[in-house]
Amino acid sequence: MMKILLVEDDETLSMGIEYSLKNDGFEVECAYTLKQAEEKYEDVDMILLDVTLPDGTGYDLCRKVRKKSEVPIIFLTACDEEVNIVLGLDMGADDYITKPVRIRELTARIKAVARRKSKNTSNDMITFRNLTIYPLKYEVYKDGEKIQLTTMEYKLLLMMIKNMGNVLTRKQLLSSLWDVDGDFIEEKTLTVYIKRLREKLKEDKNCPYIETIRGIGYRIAGV
């Protein structure tokens, strides 16, 4: 069941939307101020966000959320001028709906945003054991902690992950890293990158991430 945080200072309107969404099978958590929303947004699947709040604006919350989370955000507001809509979308909101709200349309837009996010997440994130890789962001995390890799180290890891289960020859890896024929590259350099990558990943020797296939190359271990 999708959990939605509804941030709306009009309590009557909030109750009506909450009632309708619950009837459609959603779990709804309500917040009437920016402060309340800041205390609740980390444990939800989507945020419906008003712009005008008693102690700030929805833009403030959107900006804060986007610094640490990709949770879907839909602005739900009476501010229907183009400049407001553009501002909200530029801040990272996934949709912008103006009041008065038609519940069927709102439900449809919620489901559409959820589908898009689900599809994008699957394409933009790769997981292997306790590693999480975001190809479009060039970021790698181990147990939730970011690992600082050089561009070459990152490209090397990503290529092996994307070819999981296959042995990649040293020539294939060198050609991918430098985009030239591997015969013209000093192979010792690849050995150094593999060694540094293993160190940064803090490999367990009994359960390594990278397996050396002697005389051939490397592959992701344990698959």
Side-chain angles (χ1 to χ4, degrees), residues 114-136:
R115 285 195 300 270
R116 290 200 303 270
K117 277 290 184 177
S118 176
K119 181 178 179 180
N120 290 340
T121 299
S122 63
N123 290 337
D124 296 350
M125 181 178 71
I126 301 171
T127 58
F128 171 64
R129 285 167 29 194
N130 58 343
L131 297 180
T132 303
I133 303 171
Y134 297 92
L136 299 181

Side-chain angles (χ1 to χ4, degrees), residues 53-103:
L53 298 168
D55 54 347
T57 72
Y59 299 134
D60 296 328
L61 182 64
C62 184
R63 191 180 295 110
K64 182 173 183 177
V65 170
R66 280 294 173 259
K67 287 181 179 179
K68 59 172 65 175
S69 172
E70 292 299 317
V71 62
I73 297 174
I74 299 178
F75 275 108
L76 191 64
T77 174
C79 299
D80 59 356
E81 294 184 5
E82 182 178 348
V83 63
N84 297 109
I85 298 173
V86 171
L87 178 60
L89 296 177
D90 282 348
M91 283 186 173
D94 298 274
D95 205 348
Y96 196 108
I97 304 174
T98 57
K99 301 172 183 176
V101 181
R102 290 176 292 188
I103 293 300

